[in-house]
Amino acid sequence: MSWIKVIGYKEATGKLKKLYDRIKGPNDSIDHVLSIHSLRPHTLQGHMMLYKNVLHHPDNSFDKWYLEFLGTYVSRLNSCDYCEKHHSVGLKNNLNDPAKYKELKEAMISEDFSQVLTSKEIAGVHYAVQLTNSHDTIVRNDLEVLREMGLNDGEILEINQVVCYFNYVNRMVVGLGVQLEKDNIGLSPQSNDSNDWSHK
């Protein structure tokens, strides 16, 4: 499952068990990206709060499929197979358009988004790439370019937070050798309630 010890659902007690009960999926399954926190439950709690509010909050401006797309693409850039596969399923489910999903997957490979995204969405992708691959080159004017492409400051922040979250989790997963589950790939919290962390 990983390169460090992980406490499974059946062995969990105390705070960890309570957190597991909030995030478990079918058959008491716990995503490996979450169970990797088991030796430090407080970081699992922090991870879930960040994840739920950055990616699944009803006050986000962008459609959930676009945020999932950004997360999938950033994971691809970071060679994080685990997150790319999980969030590719999230992208597919939230998009609910098999043809566009296929086009987006192909665009990630070709790195040509001109036929599948709006100019505003593409501007967000360019920022995501720069933030992931060369964050130290970003200057104030880069945000002016985003504004010129139609993004407001709240939307810029939204993209920034999604991209930063995925850079965090990609490095955690790769750095600890977290392996992909055999079942239930792509489950996520679906409720608009920020306190509902259950995976469905």
Side-chain angles (χ1 to χ4, degrees):
M1 180 190 294
S2 71
W3 299 332
I4 64 171
K5 178 182 176 181
V6 169
I7 301 169
Y9 179 80
K10 291 181 180 178
E11 295 76 36
T13 59
K15 182 175 183 178
L16 179 62
K17 180 67 182 308
K18 290 179 181 178
L19 288 170
Y20 274 178
D21 281 336
R22 291 184 67 186
I23 63 175
K24 66 183 179 180
N27 301 314
D28 296 333
S29 62
I30 306 293
D31 284 356
H32 296 172
V33 70
L34 301 176
S35 64
I36 195 66
H37 289 281
S38 62
L39 298 178
R40 298 291 183 272
H42 55 279
T43 67
L44 170 57
Q45 184 174 12
H47 183 160
M48 277 306 300
M49 290 177 67
L50 183 65
Y51 170 66
K52 180 74 180 188
N53 285 290
V54 166
L55 201 63
H56 293 283
H57 199 280
D59 290 342
N60 284 339
S61 298
F62 286 108
D63 288 337
K64 196 177 288 187
W65 74 261
Y66 180 66
L67 300 180
E68 289 279 10
F69 165 77
L70 289 174
T72 303
Y73 189 48
V74 166
S75 298
R76 180 178 180 82
L77 294 174
N78 284 325
S79 300
C80 182
D81 185 61
Y82 180 102
C83 294
E84 183 180 354
K85 286 184 177 173
H86 261 279
H87 289 277
S88 180
V89 175
L91 167 61
K92 184 177 184 179
N93 291 341
N94 283 287
L95 191 60
N96 199 26
D97 183 340
K100 184 165 183 178
Y101 171 74
K102 182 179 178 182
E103 291 173 349
L104 285 168
K105 291 288 286 182
E106 291 171 352
M108 283 189 237
I109 296 169
S110 68
E111 299 183 346
D112 178 5
F113 303 101
S114 59
Q115 302 301 311
V116 291
L117 296 177
T118 66
S119 56
K120 178 179 176 178
E121 291 165 347
I122 291 172
V125 172
H126 289 163
Y127 177 61
V129 172
Q130 189 177 13
L131 191 56
T132 299
N133 290 340
S134 52
H135 68 280
D136 57 325
T137 69
I138 296 175
V139 295
R140 187 183 190 97
N141 189 60
D142 291 313
L143 271 62
E144 287 299 329
V145 171
L146 294 175
R147 293 184 185 105
E148 290 170 6
M149 296 304 296
L151 285 91
N152 62 45
D153 283 10
E155 291 170 330
I156 293 170
L157 175 62
E158 202 168 299
I159 292 173
N160 174 278
Q161 292 298 288
V162 168
V163 173
C164 289
Y165 166 77
F166 276 94
N167 275 291
Y168 153 67
V169 74
N170 293 163
R171 283 155 177 75
M172 180 187 70
V173 165
V174 173
L176 294 174
V178 178
Q179 298 174 16
L180 196 65
E181 298 87 356
K182 294 180 181 178
D183 302 307
N184 299 323
I185 295 174
L187 298 179
S188 65
Q190 297 300 312
S191 169
N192 284 334
D193 180 356
S194 60
N195 292 312
D196 183 357
W197 295 354
S198 59
H199 282 58
K200 301 174 182 176

